[in-house]
Amino acid sequence: MKVGVPKEIKTHEYRVGLTPGAVREYVAAGHSVAVETNAGAGIGASDEEYRKAGATLLGSAREVFGSSEMIVKVKEPQPSEWTQLRENQILFTYLHLAPDPEQANGLLKSGCTAIAYETVTDANGGLPLLAPMSEVAGRLSIEAASAALKRYAGGRGLLVGGVPGVQPARIVVIGGGVVGTHAARMAVGLGAEVTMLDRSIARLRQLDELFDGRVRTRFSTIEAVEEEVFAADVVVGAVLIPGASAPRLVSRKMLSAMRKGAVIVDVAIDQGGCFETSRPTTHAEPTYEIDGVIHYCVANMPGAVPLTSSHALNNATLPFGLALANKGFAAVLENHHLRAGLNVYGGRLTYKAVAESLGLPYSPIVQAAA
Ligand SMILES: NC(=O)C1=CN([C@@H]2O[C@H](COP(=O)(O)OP(=O)(O)OC[C@H]3O[C@@H](n4cnc5c(N)ncnc54)[C@H](O)[C@@H]3O)[C@@H](O)[C@H]2O)C=CC1
Ligand SMILES: CC(=O)C(=O)O
Ligand SMILES: [Mg+2]
């Protein structure tokens, strides 16, 4: 198959869809890979390294889109990219369509076959192509909170771990999945007082064991969220209902009763965010303030550490990408984990929670492929 890798164009996005190492694997499997010049600059991978790995370098995204049967990216396509996608071309990338009707419309119009990393599943009930970036974003969330808590940044002026004799920051993590767990690991490591909330009692039991009593766990109800948020110095939003818009768990009214100078890091912003007052920000201007509370809502957090993130992402996407390159759309029909990633096919939405969030018709894949 002809595989194409354009350079990422989202603000301060430095990751790349295929590393030179991954290109080598595709080429070894008999595929041709076209890479846009400078696509790997953000991870220090030169055009020469891509050439050595067996790629053909092309001077523009237009040539890459125009000549490839499958496009492998990192972030959701931007408006100038939707218009370059065509019928039956496979797009393999993060999409986060639920809160993004414009992108959804662009992809539906293109007729492309779009497989979203974030809804591909594995045999353990996990999301294997979201997990590596959730690990990164979870860990980064505490770095972001720590920066925003500084007084000059508008925060309360708290050191996350405190010092002997002075209490540390109270960090509340809503959602105890991959992001939440990695946020908690960093927060515990820095010496914060950590509370995790989740809707799954089974998950709360696992977290209790994992952290050996070092974090408090709490079942997530409106009352619990309210009590915890009011007493928090930092709140990390880390909930997910796969494919769907994030549930709004912290209202504007709750926010207004929070401590002044407290920080919220809404990692779930790529699915629309779990605070009523969240709106997506970029690494260029990551924070804003409402009611004295600092909001950090960067939708592509792992883009800030592209070297770590591109390798972690490629490790996870490689087997799925190779299956797509080897078998084309048949791979989607054959493998139910890859099929769970199919969000758009032939101008129809094939992922139920996405269609419901957007208020658009849903077509089961069997019907869409008929
Ligand atoms: N902003 C960014 O750069 C990035 C954002 N993300 C996003 O972070 C979010 C979380 O991702 P993961 O941790 O991988 O998901 P996950 O599926 O591993 O964990 C989500 C957790 O939320 C819990 N949950 C659902 N509803 C809840 C509620 N009402 N109250 C409390 N907990 C609830 C679930 O039980 C689950 O344990 C997703 O929206 C993901 O797309 C992930 C990576 C990067
Ligand atoms: C998951 C996601 O949105 C990201 O890695 O940018
Ligand atoms: Mg988006």
Side-chain angles (χ1 to χ4, degrees), residues 13 15 74-76 94 96 118 130 133-134 270 299-303:
E13 180 52 72
R15 286 170 287 180
V74 179
K75 285 313 287 184
E76 70 279 356
Y94 287 115
H96 304 294
E118 71 272 11
L130 180 62
M133 296 305 92
S134 292
D270 55 357
N300 60 334
M301 294 172 69

Side-chain angles (χ1 to χ4, degrees), residues 96 127 130-131 133-134 137 174-180 197-200 203 220 238-241 247 249 266-271 298-302:
H96 304 294
L127 302 168
L130 180 62
M133 296 305 92
S134 292
I174 311 179
V178 181
V179 167
L197 294 97
D198 204 289
R199 276 279 196 194
S200 158
R203 185 62 192 153
S220 180
V239 299
L240 176 65
I241 296 163
L249 301 177
D266 197 352
V267 185
I269 189 66
D270 55 357
Q271 294 293 141
V298 175
N300 60 334
M301 294 172 69

Side-chain angles (χ1 to χ4, degrees), residues 13 50 59 86 88 93 100 114 127 143-144 149 157 172 175 186 208 221 262 272 289-290 294 311 314 338 346:
E13 180 52 72
Y50 277 103
R86 60 173 186 276
N88 295 328
T93 192
D100 199 349
L127 302 168
E143 290 187 15
L149 272 177
V172 174
M186 291 294 276
D208 186 57
T221 59
E289 179 249 301
I290 295 179
I294 313 299
H311 288 293
N314 273 254
L338 204 43

Side-chain angles (χ1 to χ4, degrees), residues 2-364:
K2 291 180 181 166
V3 178
V5 184
K7 186 171 168 56
E8 292 297 313
I9 55 174
K10 189 164 174 148
T11 312
H12 286 293
E13 180 52 72
Y14 300 108
R15 286 170 287 180
V16 62
L18 293 182
T19 59
V23 167
R24 221 174 137 181
E25 299 279 341
Y26 279 76
V27 171
H31 305 293
S32 66
V33 183
V35 176
E36 185 179 348
T37 46
N38 271 323
I43 62 163
S46 65
D47 291 348
E48 193 44 37
E49 278 176 72
Y50 277 103
R51 256 185 221 107
K52 275 194 187 144
T56 303
L57 275 291
L58 295 177
S60 68
R62 192 155 289 283
E63 290 167 86
V64 173
F65 278 90
S67 64
S68 306
E69 296 160 271
M70 171 164 83
I71 297 292
V72 182
K73 275 177 49 62
V74 179
K75 285 313 287 184
E76 70 279 356
Q78 306 297 301
S80 70
E81 295 175 316
W82 310 332
T83 49
Q84 297 183 62
L85 288 162
R86 60 173 186 276
E87 221 174 307
N88 295 328
Q89 192 173 34
I90 296 175
L91 172 66
F92 191 41
T93 192
Y94 287 115
L95 293 178
H96 304 294
L97 287 177
D100 199 349
E102 286 172 10
Q103 190 208 156
N105 195 31
L107 294 186
L108 289 170
K109 266 195 189 152
S110 76
C112 78
T113 299
I115 296 150
Y117 290 163
E118 71 272 11
T119 62
V120 171
T121 53
D122 65 21
N124 308 317
L127 302 168
L129 306 191
L130 180 62
M133 296 305 92
S134 292
E135 292 171 346
V136 172
R139 291 176 181 219
L140 280 176
S141 69
I142 303 303
E143 290 187 15
S146 168
L149 272 177
K150 308 276 173 2
R151 192 74 191 110
Y152 57 74
R156 297 194 72 213
L158 259 182
L159 184 61
V160 168
V163 289
V166 182
Q167 71 178 38
R170 294 183 76 157
I171 299 189
V172 174
V173 181
I174 311 179
V178 181
V179 167
T181 303
H182 285 265
R185 281 181 65 162
M186 291 294 276
V188 164
L190 286 175
E193 188 185 311
V194 183
T195 301
M196 298 181 81
L197 294 97
D198 204 289
R199 276 279 196 194
S200 158
I201 299 174
R203 185 62 192 153
L204 292 176
R205 286 196 183 105
Q206 287 172 338
L207 292 168
D208 186 57
E209 281 204 17
L210 183 68
F211 287 101
D212 201 16
R214 183 62 186 77
V215 304
R216 291 170 63 230
T217 59
R218 207 167 164 188
F219 185 70
S220 180
T221 59
I222 297 168
E223 185 179 69
V225 168
E226 197 169 71
E227 284 176 11
E228 295 298 336
V229 159
F230 288 171
D233 299 304
V234 173
V235 184
V236 177
V239 299
L240 176 65
I241 296 163
S245 289
R248 290 286 160 107
L249 301 177
V250 179
S251 65
R252 171 80 195 244
K253 199 165 161 225
M254 282 189 208
L255 187 95
S256 63
M258 282 180 68
R259 291 172 165 173
K260 301 300 163 209
V263 175
I264 63 170
V265 179
D266 197 352
V267 185
I269 189 66
D270 55 357
Q271 294 293 141
C274 53
F275 299 80
E276 188 182 352
T277 46
S278 295
R279 60 170 168 78
T281 59
T282 67
H283 289 294
E285 216 173 310
T287 59
Y288 59 94
E289 179 249 301
I290 295 179
D291 286 345
V293 177
I294 313 299
H295 293 53
Y296 177 102
C297 304
V298 175
N300 60 334
M301 294 172 69
V305 287
L307 202 47
T308 304
S309 301
S310 299
H311 288 293
L313 181 61
N314 273 254
N315 291 345
T317 55
L318 186 65
F320 294 95
L322 279 177
L324 284 168
N326 291 338
K327 298 184 174 174
F329 188 64
V332 175
L333 294 175
E334 225 171 83
N335 178 332
H336 70 278
H337 295 305
L338 204 43
R339 202 183 320 141
L342 190 71
N343 279 217
V344 176
Y345 178 78
R348 303 189 198 193
L349 285 173
T350 53
Y351 198 94
K352 199 162 186 231
V354 168
E356 280 172 3
S357 291
L358 290 166
L360 290 172
Y362 159 65
S363 299

